[in-house]
Amino acid sequence: MNVIEKILSRASGRDHVSPGEIVEANIDCAMVNEITGHLTIKYFHEVGVKEVWNKDKIVMVLDHTIPAGSVEAAELHKIMREFAREQGIRAFYDVGRGGISHQVMVEKAHVKPGDVVVGADSHTCTYGAIGAFSTGIGSTDMTAVFTTGRLWFKVPKVIKVNVRGDFRKFVTPKDLFLKIAEILGVSGANYKGLEFKGSTIRDMSIDGRMTICNMAIEVGGKAGIVEPDEKTLAYMKSRTNERFSIVKSDPDAEYERTLELSVDDLKPLVSCPSAVDNVKPVSEVEGVELDQVFIGSCTNGRMEDLRIVAEILKGNVVSDRTRLIIIPASQEIYLDALREGLIETFLLAGATVTNPTCGACYGGHIGMLASEEVCLSTTNRNFIGRMGSPKSKVYLASPATAAVSAITGRITDPTSFRSG
Amino acid sequence: MEILGKAIKYGDDINTDVIIPSRYLVLTDPRELAKHAMEGIDPSFIKKSKDGIVVAGKNFGCGSSREQAPIALKYSGTRCVIAKSFARIFYRNAINIGLPVLECESLWDSVQDSDRLSLDLKSGKIKNLTRNISAQAQPLPDFILELIEIGGLLNKLKRARV
Ligand code: SF4
């Protein structure tokens, strides 16, 4: 069996599962944010159950609209806060405590390798980076989890993505995923799992693995996963004393197919408006003028990303024609970036740095785009209207491409950039 | 379960951000959400959505897990969504809230906006009454049909309590 099949069979109390089978799995951890959680809470009360199935396995995070930018958002926060209190849920991350849910779930070790984790947010697939089976669900499915602790899954077929080679300077895991999106298309992995393997993945940090697993949903994927290895163990050890078992794919595991890729010659890529699989080399769209550059989100708001950005921005200033917004993905990252002096570099370059939040990523809170505006963003979606006006345009790229482009005010290939 | 309605046709990869744009996600009243259904690509949707049957191409509902997307459609009066294929989370969400969804490859090509359609959820048989053309959707598995018939997963959870 492959790692996803093994995790699902363990969680559903079976010796063996195969693709297409429906299993009912015990959930190890469940996450809601304020946008999806308020519905779950409403439904939970409607069902009439008094207590959640396990208050220690539920994580509640305010991240999409923090601090509240409207009375409506404040009301959602209040519903979440009161529910956490009433149910005794300790893993409640209020404004100033956590950050973007997907980052918090991993860095606070709410997720462990081998776990089955569901989140009422589509980018829940991020936690595959540490070897968990994690997937996004809706608010009603989450109500079933809150009340019973169980949920049905169809065991997915899995595509093996085997990646070899070394990235060139300023080419990053984000570019690798955009390549995968170009190959598979936005529905190429619909209902399927993606297992990332190969020497490039072994060499990749947990931060980078989170970026590629995060975007599995952008090709329709149910889950992205990297088998746990020494890097995973070292990461977990630095964050929790809790024990877990290591689940890996068998050598003879079956896959729907294998995608072989090499990153040796990979160029920086950009996903053009308004579909994630509309991918071109940055060099082909160089010169497109930018009104806004956004660096952050659950895709690319981690230390590794911010370090590259600081390396590029150091001693430079953001172009007069554009504005740069940088949002660290969590409180912890914000603090680390502050201590390392990255935040100072950002501010001196003329960037706006805000508190950890989804912020500009989804066009619901801050940093929204006006009509006809063009933004280069390190996030994961460039759908029509994603970051504001339906008449705005969003290009997706890596933090390196974003930082260099912020300096020039135009989409620019970072591989030609020489840092001081 | 027979459904009658008027076709409203869209293309491939209709994502949840256009079905209900993010800025409305703070709204809690489903009728308010419904006023903005499909606003991202078709601001006139709400004028024609009563008894509408959305007929879409591949990968309908891709993107976020926001259940507000099928909720907005359901409360806009949409009776059913028939697509060549659905994104996974949207599909589950729609069924969980009791919005019927059917997969059918062949219907899309011959349908025009406002065609009158009739469909039988159990058998998956679809008739385009305006053009006198039939199509066959994938029949829904029994447990999904059952969920739709009782009005969604919440009702099932409630019944399991009594
Ligand atoms: S950062 Fe963007 S993609 Fe990630 S959870 Fe927030 S809104 Fe969703």
Side-chain angles (χ1 to χ4, degrees):
Chain A
M1 286 190 288
N2 62 47
V3 53
I4 290 178
E5 290 161 357
K6 281 191 178 174
I7 294 173
L8 285 176
S9 63
R10 191 267 309 153
S12 55
R14 297 161 60 140
D15 298 331
H16 190 274
V17 299
S18 348
E21 270 183 273
I22 306 251
V23 297
E24 219 195 354
N26 287 315
I27 303 301
D28 296 300
C29 188
M31 186 280 294
V32 291
N33 61 42
E34 75 271 37
I35 295 292
T36 54
H38 75 91
L39 281 176
T40 299
I41 292 167
K42 177 172 159 238
Y43 298 157
F44 180 85
H45 290 312
E46 279 178 29
V47 173
V49 180
K50 289 238 154 28
E51 284 178 13
V52 293
W53 109 97
N54 187 333
K55 63 182 167 48
D56 298 323
K57 292 189 174 183
I58 293 175
V59 180
M60 301 176 71
V61 189
L62 307 184
D63 63 1
H64 277 58
T65 55
I66 57 169
S70 65
V71 176
E72 287 87 355
E75 296 292 348
L76 301 187
H77 294 182
K78 188 171 157 206
I79 293 169
M80 295 278 281
R81 213 170 273 131
E82 286 176 354
F83 187 76
R85 214 170 279 151
E86 152 201 325
Q87 293 289 327
I89 293 166
R90 280 175 303 173
F92 172 66
Y93 293 93
D94 209 325
V95 178
R97 295 303 164 96
I100 301 174
S101 64
H102 306 306
Q103 182 60 30
V104 170
M105 286 293 279
V106 176
E107 75 183 21
K108 301 289 186 221
H110 291 300
V111 186
K112 296 186 299 304
D115 278 358
V116 171
V117 184
V118 289
D121 189 283
S122 59
H123 292 100
T124 298
C125 52
T126 310
Y127 330 145
I130 56 155
F133 172 82
S134 58
T135 193
I137 61 173
S139 303
T140 303
D141 266 340
M142 189 55 89
T143 310
V145 175
F146 272 28
T147 52
T148 68
R150 296 170 72 78
L151 197 67
W152 68 268
F153 298 95
K154 197 176 192 177
V155 179
K157 293 178 184 158
V158 179
I159 301 174
K160 177 157 114 184
V161 183
N162 206 16
V163 195
R164 282 167 223 282
D166 300 314
F167 289 108
R168 288 153 60 203
K169 175 97 174 155
F170 293 143
V171 183
T172 69
K174 177 64 161 284
D175 299 293
L176 166 63
F177 194 87
L178 293 183
K179 184 78 206 168
I180 294 170
E182 183 185 15
I183 297 168
L184 289 176
V186 290
S187 58
N190 207 358
Y191 293 86
K192 293 173 193 161
L194 292 174
E195 185 179 336
F196 301 101
K197 290 181 97 97
S199 59
T200 311
I201 309 297
R202 268 200 305 280
D203 293 343
M204 198 180 278
S205 65
I206 298 295
D207 281 9
R209 294 177 188 182
M210 285 177 77
T211 300
I212 57 173
C213 289
N214 173 271
M215 289 196 74
I217 180 74
E218 303 315 327
V219 289
K222 182 172 196 157
I225 197 162
V226 177
E227 297 177 319
D229 60 8
E230 315 75 57
K231 283 214 170 79
T232 324
L233 294 184
Y235 182 90
M236 292 308 297
K237 207 170 160 206
S238 71
R239 300 193 168 259
T240 179
N241 295 323
E242 272 191 68
R243 299 172 69 86
F244 50 85
S245 48
I246 302 287
V247 188
K248 290 185 181 243
S249 293
D250 292 326
D252 63 347
E254 284 182 31
Y255 295 91
E256 190 207 37
R257 63 184 160 127
T258 300
L259 210 63
E260 296 283 354
L261 292 170
S262 160
V263 297
D264 285 330
D265 299 320
L266 187 68
K267 294 193 176 74
L269 297 173
V270 57
S271 156
C272 299
S274 298
V276 180
D277 58 358
N278 187 12
V279 175
K280 298 201 171 105
V282 172
S283 55
E284 269 182 37
V285 284
E286 253 186 334
V288 171
E289 293 186 5
L290 299 170
D291 299 292
Q292 179 167 305
V293 175
F294 172 49
I295 297 171
S297 85
C298 56
T299 314
N300 280 123
R302 283 175 274 280
M303 278 310 281
E304 187 171 286
D305 306 315
L306 300 185
R307 285 191 187 116
I308 295 180
V309 172
E311 179 185 342
I312 292 168
L313 287 184
K314 188 134 199 136
N316 288 301
V317 280
V318 173
S319 160
D320 283 343
R321 80 170 82 239
T322 196
R323 47 190 192 261
L324 172 61
I325 301 172
I326 303 180
I327 307 189
S330 69
Q331 291 285 121
E332 183 183 313
I333 293 168
Y334 196 170
L335 195 57
D336 286 347
L338 190 72
R339 288 182 176 141
E340 266 189 45
L342 310 185
I343 304 291
E344 188 177 339
T345 303
F346 299 159
L347 295 178
L348 286 174
T352 287
V353 181
T354 85
N355 63 290
T357 163
C358 296
C361 172
Y362 78 110
H365 189 38
I366 50 174
M368 289 164 76
L369 300 174
S371 54
E372 317 303 336
E373 284 195 322
V374 180
C375 177
L376 182 75
S377 175
T378 66
T379 53
N380 45 42
R381 287 186 180 143
N382 56 357
F383 301 157
I384 293 169
R386 171 72 178 180
M387 295 178 72
S389 165
K391 294 200 181 103
S392 61
K393 290 205 172 88
V394 179
Y395 291 82
L396 304 176
S398 74
T401 303
V404 172
S405 303
I407 297 169
T408 59
R410 297 184 160 93
I411 295 183
T412 306
D413 188 329
T415 49
S416 52
F417 180 82
R418 298 277 162 267
S419 51
Chain B
M1 201 169 153
E2 166 131 344
I3 293 176
L4 275 169
K6 282 187 320 286
I8 308 172
K9 191 174 175 180
Y10 298 108
D12 292 340
D13 302 320
I14 301 298
N15 64 67
T16 49
D17 281 70
V18 301
I19 300 173
I20 183 77
S22 304
R23 56 189 175 282
Y24 304 119
L25 294 178
V26 290
L27 301 174
T28 46
D29 182 347
R31 284 160 308 190
E32 288 298 316
L33 283 171
K35 288 183 189 161
H36 304 287
M38 301 305 277
E39 195 177 289
I41 45 161
D42 183 5
S44 69
F45 177 80
I46 190 66
K47 296 202 193 87
K48 58 192 176 196
S49 58
K50 190 168 177 324
D51 293 327
I53 294 180
V54 170
V55 181
K58 282 188 309 177
N59 202 26
F60 187 86
C62 58
S64 104
S65 66
R66 58 186 73 166
E67 207 158 279
Q68 286 90 340
I71 291 174
L73 288 177
K74 183 176 168 185
Y75 281 85
S76 74
T78 302
R79 308 284 320 268
C80 177
V81 183
I82 307 172
K84 289 187 184 170
S85 64
F86 289 91
R88 185 187 65 84
I89 307 177
F90 180 91
Y91 186 83
R92 267 183 95 128
N93 285 348
I95 287 160
N96 283 342
I97 65 148
L99 173 70
V101 281
L102 279 179
E103 283 190 330
C104 178
E105 264 288 332
S106 62
L107 178 72
W108 194 85
D109 284 338
S110 60
V111 165
Q112 299 289 330
D113 263 337
S114 307
D115 283 0
R116 285 194 312 121
L117 305 178
S118 89
L119 57 98
D120 180 57
L121 274 187
K122 195 169 169 62
S123 65
K125 282 205 169 58
I126 306 172
K127 280 197 212 107
N128 184 334
L129 302 171
T130 307
R131 283 165 217 285
N132 210 4
I133 303 174
S134 305
Q136 178 65 46
Q138 294 210 17
L140 296 171
D142 283 346
F143 80 104
I144 287 181
L145 206 57
E146 184 206 340
L147 273 180
I148 291 176
E149 270 165 8
I150 64 170
L153 179 62
L154 206 55
N155 285 343
K156 186 171 169 185
L157 290 170
K158 284 183 199 161
R159 283 183 197 185
R161 292 270 302 150
V162 286

